[in-house]
Amino acid sequence: MDVHDFDFDLPQRLIAQTPLADRTASRMLVMNSETGDVAHKHFRAIVEELEAGDLLVLNDTKVLPARLVGVKEETGASIEVLLLKETGDNEWETLVKPAKRVKPGTVITFGDGRLSAECIGVADQGGRTFKFTYEGIFYELLDALGKMPLPPYITESLDDQSRYQTVFAKERGSAAAPTAGLHFTEDILEELRAKGVGVEFITLHVGLGTFRPVSVDSIEDHEMHAEYYQVTEHTASAINRTREAGGRVIAVGTTSTRTLETIASENDGKMVAGSGWTSIFIFPGYEFKAVDGLITNFHLPKSTLVMLVSALSTREYILNAYDQAIEEEYRFFSFGDAMFIRPSRKKENE
C-alpha cells in the first residue's frame, strides 16, 4: 500500500494555532464506520452519541514541559533540547536544535546553571542522549524551566500551558499530548457516567515517533518507534465485562487505540493487565480485536494516524470525510476539532 494513497490537500489556514476558550466548543464530525455517512455536530453531542453500556477509554498520560532552551557552556550559543524518553539514571533521549553544535562531551546549562546536561550519545535526525546533573528534584526544575513541547505546525505561543494537557492527566511522561482527550471536561465525563457510559483510563506516553513522517513509499516498510504503556487490572476487567455484555468499546485517541490493540488477545480479544513497550502499526487490512469506535482529531496527510483511522473504516470513507471537513472549514490537528468514527449500535446479548 502506497503512502501517497493517504495524501490530501489541506489549506494552511485550517491548522488550528490556539485552543478554543471552551474545551467543549469544538465541532465534531460523526462518521458511520460501516456506511461512511457523515453528520456535522458539536463536541457536546458526544453525550447523545454514546449509549448506556458503552465504555470510553482515555489516555491519562501527562505531558512533560519537555522543551528546554539553554546555552552551550563553551560558546554561549543557544541550544534547544526536547526531552523524549528517560533511559537511565538522569539520562534522557532528546532531540536537539541545532544538532550540529552538539557533540559527545558538549555541556549545556539551563536556568543560570540550575540544570546541566552533558551529551553522552549521538543518534540520527538530531537525536542526542544527555546525562543531567542538578540539585533538588528534577521534575520541579523541569516545571520551572521547561515549556510545553508544541508540534512544529503550531507557530503561536500558548498563554495557558494547561490547555495542552487533558483535565484527567495523571501519569507524567509524554512528549506530546493525547490530543483527542483535550475536548473533554469533568462535566462531560460526569454526564456520561450518569448516562451509564463507563469511563476508564490507560496510560501511553506519547513519543514523537508517532508523528514522524512516513519516509518510505510502501507503508508496510515503515517502522514505528516504541512507546511505553500501562493498563491496570481494573481497566482490563472493565473492558472484558463491556464486551461480554455486548457494549461498545470507544477509544479516545489513537494512543488509546494502539494500547488496547497491543494487549488484546489474538484469539478472543480478552484484555490482560500489564505494561511494556509497543510499536504496533495499524493500517488498512488490520483486524481490530478490542476497539469498536474512535474519538479522534483530524490528522496530517500521509501520517500513520490517518492510516490508523482508515483501518477502522475504509480509506475511501475517511478521505471523503476529510474532504467534507475541509469544505466545512473544520480546524485541524492538535488544537483542532474532533471526529467520532461511530460503530454500529450495540448488539443484544446472545
Side-chain angles (χ1 to χ4, degrees), residues 277-344:
W277 295 84
T278 179
S279 56
I280 189 172
F281 180 21
I282 296 173
F283 54 88
Y286 178 85
E287 293 188 10
F288 285 84
K289 305 181 292 294
V291 173
D292 300 304
L294 172 64
I295 299 166
T296 187
N297 280 19
F298 292 94
H299 305 294
L300 281 74
K302 297 190 290 187
S303 66
T304 60
L305 306 180
V306 167
M307 296 168 193
L308 184 152
V309 298
S310 296
L312 196 56
S313 179
T314 71
R315 181 182 69 89
E316 292 76 16
Y317 287 167
I318 292 295
L319 292 182
N320 175 65
Y322 271 51
D323 285 344
Q324 291 196 44
I326 291 168
E327 185 176 340
E328 296 290 328
E329 300 206 332
Y330 277 67
R331 303 165 79 246
F332 273 64
F333 305 162
S334 296
F335 289 139
D337 293 317
M339 179 179 187
F340 178 32
I341 303 176
R342 181 170 62 78
S344 61

Side-chain angles (χ1 to χ4, degrees), residues 23 148 158 160-166 182:
R23 288 178 185 263
M148 283 296 177
L158 181 62
D160 181 358
Q161 299 291 299
S162 70
R163 290 308 310 275
Y164 195 59
Q165 203 83 267
T166 64
L182 296 177

Side-chain angles (χ1 to χ4, degrees), residues 182-260:
L182 296 177
H183 303 284
F184 286 87
T185 62
E186 289 294 351
D187 286 346
I188 279 191
L189 292 175
E190 283 306 312
E191 286 183 49
L192 288 167
R193 290 186 181 105
K195 187 177 180 177
V197 175
V199 177
E200 294 291 340
F201 298 93
I202 56 87
T203 302
L204 182 132
H205 293 321
V206 188
L208 293 189
T210 299
F211 306 103
R212 277 190 169 139
V214 179
S215 58
V216 294
D217 290 331
S218 175
I219 66 174
E220 289 86 352
D221 295 333
H222 177 71
E223 292 186 9
M224 296 285 286
H225 285 67
E227 295 167 315
Y228 179 80
Y229 70 86
Q230 185 171 347
V231 179
T232 65
E233 182 62 49
H234 188 277
T235 294
S237 296
I239 295 168
N240 290 334
R241 288 196 304 270
T242 298
R243 297 189 68 85
E244 288 166 6
R248 305 177 301 177
V249 176
I250 308 298
V252 177
T254 57
T255 59
S256 296
T257 301
R258 294 175 64 242
T259 302
L260 296 182

Side-chain angles (χ1 to χ4, degrees), residues 20-132:
L20 298 176
D22 176 2
R23 288 178 185 263
T24 66
S26 317
R27 299 167 73 190
M28 181 173 68
L29 185 150
V30 180
M31 191 197 84
N32 185 304
S33 62
E34 296 181 359
T35 66
D37 292 342
V38 165
H40 302 288
K41 302 189 177 186
H42 282 83
F43 188 74
R44 291 202 67 87
I46 197 64
V47 177
E48 303 161 13
E49 289 289 332
L50 299 182
E51 303 174 357
D54 288 343
L55 180 66
L56 201 63
V57 182
L58 305 104
N59 184 0
D60 66 2
T61 188
K62 189 171 186 178
V63 185
L64 295 172
R67 180 175 167 267
L68 292 163
V69 178
V71 294
K72 187 175 176 180
E73 196 170 63
E74 294 176 0
T75 65
S78 178
I79 304 290
E80 179 178 310
V81 175
L82 179 63
L83 305 181
L84 297 182
K85 182 171 66 178
E86 188 172 13
T87 56
D89 185 21
N90 291 318
E91 294 180 5
W92 285 79
E93 287 184 6
T94 73
L95 286 178
V96 172
K97 290 194 305 186
K100 63 183 180 181
R101 295 189 177 184
V102 178
K103 299 177 174 58
T106 298
V107 175
I108 301 169
T109 60
F110 310 90
D112 297 324
R114 294 163 64 191
L115 183 64
S116 179
E118 179 182 356
C119 178
I120 60 173
V122 176
D124 294 335
Q125 298 179 319
R128 299 291 186 271
T129 300
F130 283 99
K131 176 79 171 182
F132 285 86

